[in-house]
Amino acid sequence: MPKTKTEAETETETPKMKPRPIVRLGIFLISHSLLVSVVCCTAGVLALLLLPLLAKNTYISENALMPGSASSMISNRDISEANRLANDLSDLNLEPQDTAAMESRRILTKYMSDLGAEVSYHKFHPKPNQFHPLHFFSGPDSTSTVENFSCSAYVVNTVGIIRAPRGDGKEAIVLVTPYKFGKSGLAETLSLSIAYTVFSLLSRVTWLAKDIVWFVADSQYGEYAPVEAWLRDYHTPVFTGLGTLNADTCVKIDDLYVLERKPIAQSKISDGFRRAGTMAAALILKVADRNELLEDTLTIYAEASNGQMPNLDLINAVNYLAVHRQGLRVKVEKFFTLLDSRWLEILGEIFELLGKVARSLNPGWKFGISAADYIEGSATLASSLYYQALGIPTGPHGAFRDFQVDAITLEISPKVSSHNKARHNEFLLRGGRLVEGVIRSINNLLEKFHQSFFLYLLTSPSKFVSVGVYMIAFALLVAPLPLVAASLYAEAYQLDLGVKNTKSTPTATASDALGITFRSWKWLYAAKEVFLIHVWGAAVLLLPYFICQVPNCSPTSSTVIWIFLSMLSLLIFYFIVGSPYTHVSISQPEKKGEWAILKSVTISAVFIGLLLMSVVNFATAEIGALLLVPMCLMAQPLKLDIKAGKLRSFLRAICNLVLAFVAFPPAAYFVVKTIFEGFDSINVGEFWNWMESLWAWNSATYIYMGMVHLPCWVLCLHVLLHSC
Amino acid sequence: MAMMVLLLLNNAIAYGSHSSSADTTMHTNNWAVLVCTSRFWFNYRHMANTLSLYRTVKRLGIPDERIILMLADDMACNARNKYPAQVFNNENHRLNLYGDNVEVDYRGYEVTVENFLRVLTGRHATAVPRSKRLLSDEGSHILLYMTGHGGDEFLKFQDSEELQSHDLADAVKQMKEKRRFKELLIMVDTCQAATLFNQLQSPGVLAIGSSMKGENSYSHHLDSDVGVSVVDRFTFYTLAFFERLNMYDNASLSSLFTSYDPNALMSTAYYRTDIYQRRLEEVPVTNFFGSVMETIHTDSAYKAIPRKISNRAGISMAVEKSVDHDDRRTSIDSNFQDQISHTKTKDQICPFTRTMNSFLDKVERIEHPDSLVNCGLIAMLPLLIISAWLSS
């Protein structure tokens, strides 16, 4: 007790307590915010460019997977059966489409049930893309009521299920092949034969622990829709019997079942919805139409909605089996235009040189990669980042991710197709063995995929950048935002941060004190404006709903209408609420601080917005930060710069204008497009189509555009055009 | 009354001598505790390891009732097994380890650290059947084999629990105090197996592990048909050693221990002998892996041999007969009574008279003299016939 007393006494003796180190550090950073922000932003961009260097090799993290430990069991019998199926199907191509579709479905059913699989049909009615603002967050809606449909618009998927002979029936592996019944191409038939080869094998094996579901999606209305519809029905049990409901309305479909009933054992075929257990993983198998020059190639598509990725282990397993067992070349998507970009090459060479220097200093440091690898890695990384940022699934696997099922699309493209029988069979064998290996490996799983990463960027099929590494680039980019906001705020109020040694504070008069308290609430005006602009942004987001109602509207005119309406609504907002600059109630010298406070609040809002977005979709936040952060930090009234008349301020003004132009969403879109695809392919309507795809796929990027990006851009324009 | 006193005295001497030094106790029987601690399909090899060793010790003579087999998972019936109800430890699939004559005592979720320690220390609930108990005694040689996933001073059980080296050492200490073994061989095939022996102190314990601290133990080969690794290296080479032996071979423990080649094992087999009294060269492997015991030659069934040993013989008989410890005690006592009453007076008589006496004894004890006479008469008949035939 006495000790504390003495401590209290010493405290009273020293009038100013020394703040804690962390506070002092904060104050130090804030007072040097300019330097800090320059350093941080540069480091952030540099860290992003360094990511291909920091990529790690992938490894199988889940012990249970054991890819490639079992030898393949596909026999020639399976392949010849598959060829027979393919021949039967392609014979139908001469017939009219409707009968061909039905007949091919019948053939497929017959083949499936001959293998002892349970076959059922899944019918659904494709719904058009429509913008429903209220459905935005609800995800895949379960209440798809069929209102007015025609029988021809019905899509019938075929589902075959093999029950694991000794499994518990609680889990399933899904194999999806999109197939256009009636008008299929050669490639689609080929993918069907690969799937059949595997299915035929799996109907015989004794080692299945999970049921196998082969879903032949009727892809005449796109590949995504049937998969999504089936998954929705799979996960929402209906107890009234869908089949009977639809059967009496559609005679044609009914016919199909009558056809079915006649020939084969009936117990295995049903028109009711058949289910297996929860899905452990799904593979979408496609054969590409194009041919590769050198060797059989496998392309992996993994991005699902909002930048969600399947577990890295799934990609690893597929990659391992394809490369080390089947000798396929594995690719992931990349931006080919980046491959021959000059600046990237120079950068790659610099990094290579640095790596060499580092290695000569210490042989243990091995971070250098060759320039070619670097370019390859960055092109893949950029595409990975872009497709994640878009938030649109790159294939039917996206539908699975919405139900927390890990899925990827495997697109196999054969080497230049000679109509050589042996070559054809070898291709079937390779594809079949790959799928068999992946399925056997997933079959070994005991739990859901959980061991490896979910948050990662790919720089090649066997290299990845994990969340812990790529977060650094983003963190560095956004770190200056709160510092600059705080320093602007402090500057505007002439606050003493304890660094500058001012002795005037204790001698403040009473009137000054009143003024200070009055002024200290002034930021609320700026906050109000920022808030209103965000409300306006939300309104802009909803505009397409009304524009969609306009009949016969071309994308170009839609874009123009949208922009026009947005500007109009902004003006109306100003009329209703009044310009933020009307309520300047305080004395004239404060005017200088006005825009600073507005900028400070804007920056805080952007900071919060970017952080929130980085949780939802990291890639969007990263790209957004690249555009927004420099603009926010640079923004300063043009008038001031012009008044100053120095070269430096002139340059700053030009920088500001360029950044403001680039950050405008349509402008950004077209600039990027010109860079990648050349100038001639520019069309204003494309922007509308692009945005349409964003909302049609319920991408969070769309909301980010309206709620963070656009308001920030408008507010920065405000600051630029501020009349001070 | 005097006999009672003698009996008590006798017991007291016997037990006193046991507690004073264990070496003087004779090796009377063999037990084996074989534990596979890991679950899941990809740990197939651990079950195969354990079952292979089970087969080996059974082949070398330890009967099923003296083997406690603990298997944490059932690979044979796993849906992923291409060969239902069969387990192989080699890709040639020549030997199915999971035949009809496998007695698994603890299976699945019964294999816990608690149950394992209960088996070792013998502290069971009363309802636990005899087949699940380790009913060893102070003359027992116990082989404790464990395989699974381990680390520095621990062994994982069921992917959820751990057995630490302290737990093991404590259990062994308790066993020693409860005179549950004479000698104990602990054989462990896990990563960093040697660390599991760090805390052992009890005398008479010999320990061998597949790898040193910081080393991994590796699987031997992959069966691409079944799709998993089927046996671990250490166990594979142990089995290879025993496949060359039969029950009557006299290979010593040191020959087993030196048979491990670090290059083939890809780890260094470690054995701890500092608390084991005998020299390894003199100990045949069948002392632990088989059930071959030193035979004591006696002239007759109930010759007065030194008391201690006779007492022990009684125990070894009792193990098969008795139901519980208490029962065993009574049976020992009755044995003594028997022996004493029969041998007391006849110690100093010459062999001939002794046999004569015993014959007379037997004659005395025959209950129906009439039937004996009848039998004798019937036995005369063939004699008569033969003599008549010879004379004619």
Side-chain angles (χ1 to χ4, degrees):
Chain A
M1 283 302 277
K3 201 184 173 195
T4 49
K5 212 170 217 174
T6 52
E7 271 175 7
E9 276 170 9
T10 49
E11 267 176 37
T12 46
E13 277 166 21
T14 51
K16 243 189 172 177
M17 217 180 78
K18 216 176 183 188
R20 289 191 300 165
I22 187 147
V23 177
R24 274 189 292 161
L25 181 71
I27 289 172
F28 176 79
L29 286 179
I30 288 169
S31 55
H32 296 83
S33 65
L34 181 68
L35 183 72
V36 171
S37 53
V38 168
V39 168
C40 276
C41 280
T42 325
V45 175
L46 201 68
L48 192 63
L49 292 173
L50 272 174
L51 285 187
L53 255 74
L54 301 173
K56 283 188 286 187
N57 285 327
T58 54
Y59 54 93
I60 306 274
S61 176
E62 170 70 270
N63 283 331
L65 271 175
M66 300 186 291
S69 62
S71 55
S72 176
M73 292 163 68
I74 286 182
S75 64
N76 283 325
R77 206 190 76 190
D78 300 314
I79 288 175
S80 57
E81 277 291 295
N83 280 332
R84 211 156 56 82
L85 170 68
N87 285 337
D88 284 0
L89 287 177
S90 49
D91 285 347
L92 295 171
N93 277 352
L94 303 170
E95 292 179 37
Q97 195 187 320
D98 260 13
T99 46
M102 204 149 19
E103 193 64 12
S104 55
R105 213 167 277 139
R106 194 190 62 77
I107 289 173
L108 194 62
T109 312
K110 183 177 169 301
Y111 271 83
M112 277 188 187
S113 50
D114 280 354
L115 291 178
E118 296 173 13
V119 189
S120 65
Y121 295 105
H122 170 252
K123 290 151 287 167
F124 83 104
H125 187 241
K127 46 177 187 159
N129 274 343
Q130 221 155 22
F131 182 53
H132 287 291
L134 290 180
H135 287 175
F136 211 91
F137 295 106
S138 60
D141 52 341
S142 50
T143 56
S144 66
T145 46
V146 187
E147 288 132 16
N148 48 347
F149 55 87
S150 58
C151 287
S152 59
Y154 245 124
V155 178
V156 183
N157 304 312
T158 314
V159 188
I161 300 176
I162 296 175
R163 304 283 173 191
R166 286 179 297 132
D168 51 9
K170 285 177 184 156
E171 281 182 303
I173 303 169
V174 185
L175 181 63
V176 180
T177 45
Y179 186 73
K180 280 197 190 71
F181 284 100
K183 45 186 170 183
S184 63
L186 197 68
E188 277 190 320
T189 317
L190 206 52
S191 75
L192 212 61
S193 354
I194 293 179
Y196 181 81
T197 313
V198 179
F199 202 63
S200 147
L201 169 77
L202 294 178
S203 66
R204 287 186 280 120
V205 296
T206 50
W207 44 257
L208 279 185
K210 297 174 170 45
D211 298 345
I212 303 292
V213 182
W214 182 19
F215 179 71
V216 184
D218 191 347
S219 61
Q220 48 184 321
Y221 295 99
E223 291 169 353
Y224 186 90
V227 177
E228 198 236 342
W230 177 67
L231 279 174
R232 204 190 318 114
D233 289 348
Y234 193 96
H235 290 98
T236 48
V238 179
F239 300 103
T240 48
L242 256 168
T244 52
L245 183 105
N246 293 331
D248 39 359
T249 47
C250 257
V251 190
K252 243 185 199 168
I253 303 293
D254 221 22
D255 274 352
L256 186 68
Y257 299 120
V258 174
L259 262 175
E260 285 319 322
R261 293 242 154 72
K262 276 184 275 175
I264 354 170
Q266 285 322 300
S267 59
K268 292 270 181 180
I269 301 171
S270 82
D271 46 351
F273 199 94
R274 280 200 186 268
R275 289 185 176 79
T278 50
M279 296 169 185
L283 299 172
I284 290 91
L285 183 69
K286 294 204 291 194
V287 174
D289 270 328
R290 61 175 187 282
N291 289 315
E292 294 293 324
L293 282 172
L294 297 169
E295 51 201 323
D296 294 345
T297 307
L298 171 75
T299 316
I300 297 176
Y301 298 91
E303 287 87 2
S305 52
N306 284 329
Q308 297 180 81
M309 298 290 277
N311 196 289
L312 190 56
D313 263 344
L314 183 58
I315 295 178
N316 290 346
V318 171
N319 181 51
Y320 177 84
L321 285 167
V323 173
H324 297 290
R325 289 291 179 272
Q326 303 311 323
L328 297 168
R329 206 159 66 90
V330 180
K331 289 198 303 188
V332 285
E333 280 176 290
K334 59 183 160 215
F335 285 145
F336 287 97
T337 40
L338 275 181
L339 285 183
D340 33 56
S341 73
R342 190 73 202 126
W343 64 274
L344 209 57
E345 204 180 320
I346 293 167
L347 212 61
E349 271 156 14
I350 291 172
F351 284 138
E352 189 181 354
L353 196 71
L354 281 179
K356 272 180 191 157
V357 170
R359 207 168 311 157
S360 65
L361 291 177
N362 183 347
W365 294 343
K366 283 184 231 162
F367 58 80
I369 57 171
S370 71
D373 278 353
Y374 178 79
I375 294 169
E376 192 90 8
S378 352
T380 318
L381 184 77
S383 115
S384 186
L385 206 60
Y386 173 72
Y387 284 108
Q388 286 192 22
L390 267 192
I392 299 174
T394 48
H397 54 265
F400 284 96
R401 191 65 234 171
D402 290 342
F403 294 93
Q404 303 301 312
V405 178
D406 294 287
I408 52 173
T409 298
L410 310 175
E411 194 184 63
I412 311 176
S413 32
K415 202 165 81 179
V416 181
S417 68
S418 52
H419 292 285
N420 181 355
K421 186 90 181 158
R423 172 81 196 98
H424 173 83
N425 283 353
E426 195 208 320
F427 178 72
L428 276 190
L429 192 68
R430 272 184 158 183
R433 280 187 172 162
L434 172 67
V435 177
E436 183 208 347
V438 176
I439 285 181
R440 186 149 191 188
S441 172
I442 297 168
N443 184 53
N444 284 338
L445 273 186
L446 302 151
E447 302 157 277
K448 271 183 71 162
F449 278 105
H450 66 281
Q451 279 279 355
S452 198
F453 293 91
F454 282 100
L455 302 169
Y456 57 92
L457 296 166
L458 288 175
T459 63
S460 91
S462 59
K463 281 193 155 189
F464 75 105
V465 185
S466 78
V467 57
V469 177
Y470 69 58
M471 275 306 274
I472 295 172
F474 177 72
L476 282 172
L477 267 179
V478 295
L481 291 179
L483 296 180
V484 169
S487 102
L488 279 173
Y489 181 84
E491 225 169 78
Y493 289 133
Q494 285 117 34
L495 280 187
D496 174 29
L497 286 176
V499 181
K500 293 162 211 157
N501 197 12
T502 46
K503 284 171 185 169
S504 57
T505 28
T507 60
T509 59
S511 64
D512 270 350
L514 186 73
I516 285 168
T517 46
F518 191 67
R519 273 184 298 148
S520 65
W521 288 102
K522 207 179 61 178
W523 63 272
L524 274 180
Y525 292 117
K528 191 185 88 180
E529 197 198 345
V530 170
F531 174 72
L532 286 177
I533 294 290
H534 278 85
V535 172
W536 169 78
V540 170
L541 278 189
L542 296 181
L543 282 177
Y545 177 61
F546 302 104
I547 300 172
C548 279
Q549 314 288 331
V550 181
N552 303 328
C553 199
S554 75
T556 314
S557 50
S558 296
T559 316
V560 174
I561 293 175
W562 195 8
I563 293 174
F564 176 73
L565 278 181
S566 310
M567 286 158 96
L568 195 70
S569 56
L570 189 62
L571 282 180
I572 292 170
F573 250 106
Y574 275 155
F575 273 119
I576 296 171
V577 187
S579 166
Y581 309 121
T582 51
H583 39 246
V584 182
S585 50
I586 316 161
S587 50
Q588 205 62 17
E590 304 302 334
K591 259 220 140 166
K592 193 245 159 190
E594 185 107 10
W595 65 266
I597 285 176
L598 181 63
K599 187 178 165 185
S600 155
V601 177
T602 307
I603 288 176
S604 319
V606 168
F607 180 64
I608 294 167
L610 283 176
L611 282 192
L612 285 179
M613 196 56 208
S614 75
V615 177
V616 178
N617 187 346
F618 173 80
T620 311
E622 172 74 53
I623 293 177
L626 274 180
L627 291 171
L628 285 185
V629 170
M631 179 180 71
C632 286
L633 294 181
M634 291 278 277
Q636 193 167 345
L638 291 174
K639 224 173 178 179
L640 281 182
D641 281 338
I642 292 166
K643 256 191 233 164
K646 281 184 214 157
L647 183 69
R648 209 184 77 153
S649 33
F650 188 64
L651 277 179
R652 182 162 59 194
I654 288 178
C655 266
N656 272 329
L657 284 177
V658 169
L659 285 174
F661 172 71
V662 168
F664 182 48
Y669 174 76
F670 287 119
V671 165
V672 170
K673 210 159 165 53
T674 340
I675 290 173
F676 284 129
E677 287 170 28
F679 195 72
D680 42 322
S681 61
I682 293 297
N683 176 12
V684 183
E686 271 174 45
F687 181 69
W688 172 263
N689 288 338
W690 189 68
M691 291 303 281
E692 193 177 45
S693 68
L694 285 189
W695 82 64
W697 292 99
N698 287 356
S699 170
T701 309
Y702 184 67
I703 295 184
Y704 163 81
M705 291 282 220
M707 297 298 287
V708 181
H709 199 107
L710 197 62
C712 170
W713 181 74
V714 170
L715 287 166
C716 282
L717 273 195
H718 261 208
V719 174
L720 286 185
L721 303 175
H722 199 278
S723 56
C724 51
Chain B
M1 193 60 206
M3 212 160 74
M4 281 289 282
V5 170
L6 186 77
L7 217 160
L8 283 172
L9 194 73
N10 199 342
N11 272 351
I13 290 167
Y15 280 107
S17 69
H18 285 309
S19 51
S20 61
S21 72
D23 328 330
T24 50
T25 330
M26 224 184 65
H27 171 205
T28 52
N29 55 23
N30 269 88
W31 285 80
V33 180
L34 311 174
V35 194
C36 155
T37 64
S38 44
R39 293 189 75 71
F40 306 139
W41 172 242
F42 58 92
N43 292 323
Y44 183 96
R45 60 180 189 278
H46 293 149
M47 181 169 166
N49 286 345
T50 316
L51 282 174
S52 326
L53 221 81
Y54 171 79
R55 179 185 163 273
T56 303
V57 296
K58 229 168 122 174
R59 189 174 65 85
L60 293 179
I62 304 184
D64 241 338
E65 71 257 22
R66 290 194 189 155
I67 303 176
I68 309 286
L69 181 58
M70 304 174 100
L71 297 178
D73 202 349
D74 189 359
M75 300 307 167
C77 298
N78 194 305
R80 295 165 184 85
N81 192 352
K82 193 182 167 188
Y83 301 96
Q86 300 182 62
V87 175
F88 299 104
N89 69 352
N90 200 311
E91 60 180 342
N92 60 23
H93 295 176
R94 247 183 247 144
L95 178 67
N96 174 21
L97 297 168
Y98 207 64
D100 296 332
N101 53 355
V102 175
E103 258 180 45
V104 186
D105 299 297
Y106 290 80
R107 64 169 72 237
Y109 288 112
E110 281 180 337
V111 183
T112 56
V113 172
E114 184 190 333
N115 277 348
F116 173 71
L117 294 178
R118 281 184 186 283
V119 165
L120 288 190
T121 53
R123 300 175 196 272
H124 289 284
T126 43
V128 173
R130 276 175 59 80
S131 64
K132 290 181 145 191
R133 294 173 186 234
L134 179 70
L135 297 172
S136 57
D137 53 58
E138 63 265 79
S140 301
H141 280 193
I142 302 179
L143 166 70
L144 172 57
Y145 174 84
M146 293 190 280
T147 180
H149 290 285
D152 193 1
E153 304 218 358
F154 71 88
L155 171 63
K156 250 173 37 167
F157 266 67
Q158 297 275 2
D159 208 34
S160 60
E161 297 178 286
E162 282 167 9
L163 172 80
Q164 298 210 347
S165 57
H166 291 274
D167 304 334
L168 182 68
D170 183 51
V172 171
K173 208 170 197 172
Q174 286 187 48
M175 287 170 82
K176 190 75 206 173
E177 275 165 18
K178 293 176 82 177
R179 285 190 292 275
R180 289 172 63 76
F181 68 85
K182 177 168 183 285
E183 286 175 12
L184 172 66
L185 171 61
I186 307 179
M187 187 177 231
V188 178
D189 189 352
T190 69
C191 295
Q192 312 196 34
T195 56
L196 205 60
F197 311 137
N198 282 356
Q199 311 298 331
L200 289 175
Q201 290 165 339
S202 315
V205 178
L206 184 61
I208 175 153
S210 58
S211 50
M212 306 281 285
K213 183 176 178 177
E215 281 183 343
N216 285 337
S217 295
Y218 293 97
S219 63
H220 184 261
H221 69 269
L222 181 102
D223 183 343
S224 58
D225 216 13
V226 182
V228 284
S229 303
V230 284
V231 69
D232 278 317
R233 281 174 182 270
F234 178 76
T235 308
F236 180 86
Y237 290 108
T238 309
L239 295 174
F241 178 84
F242 281 111
E243 282 306 304
R244 293 194 297 270
L245 297 185
N246 65 33
M247 210 184 287
Y248 309 105
D249 272 321
N250 228 355
S252 68
L253 272 179
S254 75
S255 71
L256 168 66
F257 289 179
T258 48
S259 75
Y260 297 119
D261 174 17
N263 292 323
L265 241 52
M266 292 167 76
S267 59
T268 325
Y270 164 89
Y271 41 97
R272 183 171 170 197
T273 51
D274 56 336
I275 43 178
Y276 188 68
Q277 291 87 358
R278 290 201 281 166
R279 292 184 59 230
L280 294 183
E281 291 79 19
E282 293 160 3
V283 187
V285 284
T286 45
N287 256 356
F288 289 103
F289 293 88
S291 194
V292 181
M293 269 151 289
E294 207 180 320
T295 38
I296 310 280
H297 178 75
T298 49
D299 289 340
S300 72
Y302 300 118
K303 192 194 166 187
I305 37 180
R307 271 169 192 152
K308 220 161 49 193
I309 294 170
S310 73
N311 185 13
R312 240 179 284 123
I315 291 164
S316 77
M317 271 155 62
V319 168
E320 278 124 349
K321 287 182 204 158
S322 63
V323 179
D324 208 340
H325 276 274
D326 294 355
D327 285 9
R328 191 194 297 172
R329 192 61 34 79
T330 53
S331 77
I332 293 166
D333 291 354
S334 63
N335 256 332
F336 264 111
Q337 224 164 352
D338 224 21
Q339 285 170 30
I340 290 162
S341 63
H342 281 275
T343 52
K344 213 165 47 171
T345 50
K346 297 161 194 162
D347 273 359
Q348 260 69 41
I349 310 169
C350 77
F352 178 72
T353 45
R354 206 191 318 161
T355 41
M356 198 56 216
N357 275 341
S358 66
F359 178 67
L360 285 175
D361 241 2
K362 271 178 193 159
V363 171
E364 265 169 30
R365 269 188 277 163
I366 292 167
E367 284 166 20
H368 307 288
D370 291 351
S371 60
L372 185 74
V373 171
N374 291 340
C375 287
L377 282 175
I378 290 165
M380 294 288 274
L381 264 175
L383 264 179
L384 241 168
I385 292 164
I386 289 169
S387 58
W389 176 66
L390 280 176
S391 60
S392 63

